[in-house]
Amino acid sequence: MTGISLWTILGAIIVLVALVVLFFPFVFRIEFRADLFGANAKIYLFKKVLYDAKKKFKVGSDKEDDLDDADFAPTYVPPKKKTEPKVEAKVEPKAGAAAEPKALTAAEPVPAVETKVVTAAEPVVEPAAKVEVSSSAPRPSSEKIAAEPSEKKSKEKPKLTGIEFWTIILTPEFDRSAFWAVKKLVASLLHLFRIKFNDCYVEGLRGSYENMGYGAALNGILKSFPFVGAWDLRMDWTRDHELCAQGEIQGSINVFRIFGVVFTALFYGGIVAFKFWRRRARVLKTHELPELGWIRSKIVKALAEED
């Protein structure tokens, strides 16, 4: 009984740890601010800063000190050339090079130049003789040579032509199933992250008083939507606020939702791939293509010509 209870407790602990790992939320947060002078964004994982990005703009700034030095191209000043005294270099003959001819005097004898003349008596080097292959070596018979290409052709798998491939892809039934699978995958991707906007606003919106009144009314209507309503559009009635956007985006993700997206992609992708290979086998066997409409046929011809 003691051994069974220990194993039960150990199994329960393992299951509990697995559930914690699967459903533990990894919270990340993005704080951003943007105005006419620049933009800044920080990415946090829990409370640790993972990335800090800053960008300053030239538009709307009068002081150069407010901008980053990287925004301006440095002016190039060519360095002054220093005048150095000219030094006459003595040219020395290299080793192995022929020395310059000197003027001969009457006391010095003229060296005799040896000249070599090729006569007909010297032997001429002939090219290497060709090695004759003995006729006794076995040669492949004509029957084997004819059988080899036929065997290679039989081993090669039949392939779809461009028109056959695009006809299968643009069949209405196949398109309907493919769009259905893409819709399911996009829905699972949207549920992968849980995103929430906190204290997001845009202030400094200016215009005529009539237009700003319409903007304030539109802001009240947008408050009813979950994501758009988290933003506040603030009109600059007093005209003393610069255009600025600021806020915080908070999101979370866990391992279970990642596994869910991967499983969804494999499941619906497998369904679409199975339907495609089934249609492909039927076309290769019967060489009969499904009938398409006039527009789809034109698209198939255009895509096949591009390939």
Side-chain angles (χ1 to χ4, degrees):
M1 296 296 292
T2 305
I4 295 174
S5 63
L6 290 175
W7 283 109
T8 304
I9 294 171
L10 183 60
I13 292 173
I14 293 173
V15 171
L16 182 62
V17 171
L19 291 175
V20 170
V21 171
L22 287 175
F23 293 97
F24 181 77
F26 295 91
V27 180
F28 61 91
R29 184 164 44 92
I30 302 174
E31 293 181 357
F32 65 92
R33 177 183 172 83
D35 54 15
L36 296 176
F37 301 98
N40 185 15
K42 291 183 179 180
I43 301 176
Y44 294 86
L45 179 61
F46 296 107
K47 293 184 178 181
K48 184 179 180 181
V49 180
L50 293 180
Y51 186 72
D52 186 1
K54 293 181 181 179
K55 178 65 178 177
K56 294 186 178 181
F57 308 134
K58 299 178 184 178
V59 180
S61 60
D62 297 329
K63 298 180 181 180
E64 294 183 358
D65 298 336
D66 297 337
L67 301 178
D68 196 359
D69 296 335
D71 294 337
F72 294 93
T75 56
Y76 174 74
V77 180
K80 296 182 179 179
K81 296 182 179 180
K82 297 180 179 180
T83 57
E84 297 179 356
K86 295 183 178 180
V87 179
E88 294 183 358
K90 295 181 179 180
V91 181
E92 297 180 357
K94 296 182 180 179
E100 295 181 358
K102 298 181 181 179
L104 300 176
T105 60
E108 295 180 357
V110 179
V113 180
E114 295 181 359
T115 57
K116 187 176 181 181
V117 180
V118 180
T119 59
E122 294 183 359
V124 180
V125 180
E126 296 181 356
K130 297 182 180 179
V131 180
E132 296 182 357
V133 182
S134 60
S135 59
S136 60
R139 295 182 179 180
S141 60
S142 59
E143 296 179 357
K144 291 183 179 180
I145 295 173
E148 286 179 358
S150 62
E151 290 179 358
K152 290 182 179 179
K153 289 181 181 179
S154 61
K155 289 180 181 179
E156 292 180 357
K157 294 182 179 180
K159 296 180 180 180
L160 293 173
T161 61
I163 295 178
E164 292 174 346
F165 174 78
W166 289 113
T167 302
I168 295 173
I169 294 295
L170 294 177
T171 304
E173 297 177 359
F174 183 80
D175 289 350
R176 196 179 300 114
S177 60
F179 283 127
W180 167 75
V182 170
K183 182 180 177 182
K184 294 291 185 181
L185 181 59
V186 170
S188 63
L189 286 174
L190 292 177
H191 290 87
L192 178 61
F193 297 97
R194 291 183 179 178
I195 298 175
K196 181 181 179 182
F197 295 93
N198 296 326
D199 300 330
C200 296
Y201 63 86
V202 179
E203 68 176 3
L205 298 174
R206 298 177 183 177
S208 63
Y209 286 101
E210 184 179 0
N211 292 335
M212 286 194 292
Y214 291 146
L218 179 63
N219 185 32
I221 295 173
L222 294 176
K223 287 292 183 182
S224 60
F225 295 93
F227 289 102
V228 184
W231 287 80
D232 189 15
L233 305 178
R234 300 176 183 177
M235 305 298 156
D236 188 13
W237 300 98
T238 58
R239 300 185 183 276
D240 58 353
H241 293 81
E242 296 293 337
L243 185 62
C244 174
Q246 185 174 350
E248 176 183 318
I249 303 174
Q250 186 176 355
S252 65
I253 188 174
N254 56 30
V255 180
F256 181 77
R257 290 202 291 270
I258 295 175
F259 283 160
V261 171
V262 174
F263 176 76
T264 303
L266 292 176
F267 178 73
Y268 292 107
I271 291 175
V272 174
F274 174 74
K275 290 184 177 181
F276 173 80
W277 286 107
R278 216 171 75 175
R279 292 174 180 273
R280 177 182 179 275
R282 186 185 303 172
V283 169
L284 291 176
K285 184 177 180 181
T286 61
H287 296 285
E288 295 180 359
L289 295 175
E291 296 182 0
L292 301 178
W294 182 79
I295 297 177
R296 290 177 181 263
S297 300
K298 291 291 184 181
I299 296 173
V300 167
K301 291 180 181 179
L303 294 174
E305 289 177 357
E306 289 180 0
D307 294 341

